[in-house]
């Protein structure tokens, strides 16, 4: 049970008897690389950010919820490896000094690795790119100025790395299949095992709940499950497609869904989290299922060599329970191609990097002033992502008018009985859900309803 990767330019091959050791703990406890900090230990603050390079390029990731086997066959840079081997500072390090971008310094290593990765990739939207790195001292302005000042500088050669070949792990306490076929055959024989895609949720089961995951399979080397294809009729999205990779696809087909994805966690989380994991997890407040349900998405499930397809909304049976057979896994999502009538509205206390109090997604088609199609789905309004079928029925075949919409809003109480919790009361959720339908209609009439500045 060995893994192989580059650590700050040095080839490393180590045994991993416990697959749930996090990269953060290993760096600090086993290698003495304590520049990578532990802040929240759940992927929110970015203090543990590191740069990870694989066949798809370099990306910033949270070391606190990244398990060691996920580094197999990759190149890793911590803050200690951002400067050149001879000691010359990276341009973002120099500019952070010049622009006084560090105060207490605790968050600074995470900012440096994220900024160096963004500099390597030519990213200049620093408001978005740094949303996953929290700082309570400087107020971001000098950090953003440092990132902007570093933009013209050439990328240091030592950061352009070629990852090594991974080791093969096909049996034992943990496995790392190389394809969907390999996974399918193994999982049928080990149906009680835990499948780990991006670990952005499962990581917290270890760091916060201290759970023993038992036998696990890491899916990050199943590259065939990370493909996107298009036909004349639909988009097919592999289960291992990350949220970061899904965003440009939706930017082309459904702009509001792309905007919703940009509010999903942080850039570090979106670079790791997968669409299949977000669905298979079954969370009632996962942001992608309502959008996909509103688009009429179909789910492809695989068990050995057998496959079955179902409407995505039918996959969610009740809270904590999905229609998934032993040894069966989510292989792909199929989204019918259609005119872009989708609007996604996420209601949360913070705009960036927050969990939804509720998320409403609407796709309503209108021809000659009459509603000809309506698919409306919500997260956070029930124990599962769920369609508002009574509201849809009230809209169908009716005139697309304010009177029709206001009457349909009242039907929301027949579709949902939301709960009260720390994020919102039941009455707030219901009123907000009703008002989101009204907002959809107002925006469709050309009215401005976006209030964020």
């Amino acid at each position: 049970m060995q893994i192989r990767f580059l650590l700050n330019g040095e080839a490393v091959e180590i045994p991993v008897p416990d697959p749930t050791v996090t990269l953060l703990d290993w760096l600090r406890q086993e290698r003495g690389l304590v520049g990578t900090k532990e802040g929240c230990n759940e992927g929110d603050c970015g203090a543990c950010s590191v740069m990870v390079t694989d066949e798809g390029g370099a990306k910033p990731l949270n070391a606190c919820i990244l398990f060691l086997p996920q580094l197999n066959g990759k190149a890793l840079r911590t803050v200690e490896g951002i400067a050149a081997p001879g000691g010359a500072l990276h341009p973002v390090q120099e500019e952070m000094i010049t622009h006084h971008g560090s105060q207490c310094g605790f968050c600074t290593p995470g900012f440096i690795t994220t900024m160096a990765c963004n500099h390597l990739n030519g990213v200049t939207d620093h408001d978005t790119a740094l949303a996953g790195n929290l700082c309570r001292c400087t107020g971001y302005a000098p950090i953003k100025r440092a990132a902007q000042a570093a933009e013209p500088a050439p990328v240091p050669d030592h950061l352009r790395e070629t990852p090594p070949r991974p080791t093969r792990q096909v049996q034992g306490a943990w496995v790392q299949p190389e394809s969907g076929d390999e996974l399918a055959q193994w999982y049928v024989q080990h149906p009680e095992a835990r499948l780990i895609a991006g670990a952005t949720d499962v990581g917290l089961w270890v760091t916060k709940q201290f759970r023993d995951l038992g036998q696990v399979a890491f899916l990050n080397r199943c590259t065939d499950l990370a493909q996107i294809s298009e036909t004349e009729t639909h988009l097919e999205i592999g289960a291992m497609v990350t949220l970061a990779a899904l965003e440009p696809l939706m930017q082309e087909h459904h702009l509001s869904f792309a905007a919703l994805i940009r509010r999903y966690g942080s850039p570090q989380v979106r670079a790791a989290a997968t669409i299949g994991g977000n669905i298979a997890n079954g969370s009632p407040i996962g942001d992608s299922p309502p959008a996909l349900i509103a688009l009429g998405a179909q789910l492809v499930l695989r068990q050995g060599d057998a496959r079955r397809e179902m409407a995505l909304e039918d996959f969610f049976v009740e809270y904590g329970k999905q229609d998934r057979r032993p040894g069966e896994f989510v292989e792909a999502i199929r989204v019918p191609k259609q005119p872009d009538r989708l609007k996604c509205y996420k209601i949360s206390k913070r705009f960036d990097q927050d969990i939804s109090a509720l998320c409403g997604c609407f796709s309503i088609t209108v021809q000659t002033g009459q509603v000809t199609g309506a698919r409306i789905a919500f997260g956070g309004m029930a124990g599962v992502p769920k369609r508002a079928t009574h509201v849809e029925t009230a809209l169908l075949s009716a005139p697309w008018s304010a009177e029709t919409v206001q009457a349909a809003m009242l039907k929301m109480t027949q579709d949902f009985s939301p709960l009260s919790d720390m994020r919102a009361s039941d009455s707030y959720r219901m009123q907000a859900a009703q008002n989101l339908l009204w907002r959809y209609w107002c925006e469709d009439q050309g009215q401005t309803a976006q209030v964020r500045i």
Side-chain angles (χ1 to χ4, degrees), residues 2 102 134 137 163 165 183 191 374 377 431:
Q2 299 276 119
S102 179
L134 304 186
C137 297
R165 291 181 61 186
L183 167 63
Q431 184 173 352

Side-chain angles (χ1 to χ4, degrees), residues 120-203:
L120 171 66
N121 292 328
V123 174
T124 57
D125 180 3
H126 303 299
D127 286 340
T128 298
L130 295 177
N133 293 83
L134 304 186
C135 179
R136 292 177 175 85
C137 297
T138 66
Y140 286 95
I143 297 173
K144 183 178 177 181
R145 286 195 289 268
Q148 291 170 330
E151 287 175 12
V155 174
D157 290 338
H158 68 282
L159 295 187
R160 300 186 185 278
E161 299 184 283
T162 301
R165 291 181 61 186
T167 61
R168 286 279 284 148
Q169 184 63 38
V170 295
Q171 59 183 355
W174 63 273
V175 299
Q176 199 167 44
E178 296 284 333
S179 68
D181 288 343
E182 193 173 294
L183 167 63
Q185 298 308 312
W186 180 88
Y187 196 34
V188 163
Q189 299 171 23
H190 305 85
E192 301 304 316
R194 183 77 60 189
L195 304 186
I196 299 179
T200 54
D201 188 43
V202 174

Side-chain angles (χ1 to χ4, degrees), residues 28-51:
R28 295 180 62 85
Q29 298 170 14
E30 301 298 327
R31 302 295 289 202
L33 296 174
V34 295
T36 306
K37 299 293 190 260
E38 179 179 318
C40 65
N41 213 21
E42 57 186 38
D44 281 341
C45 73
C48 69
S49 296
V50 293
M51 183 193 303

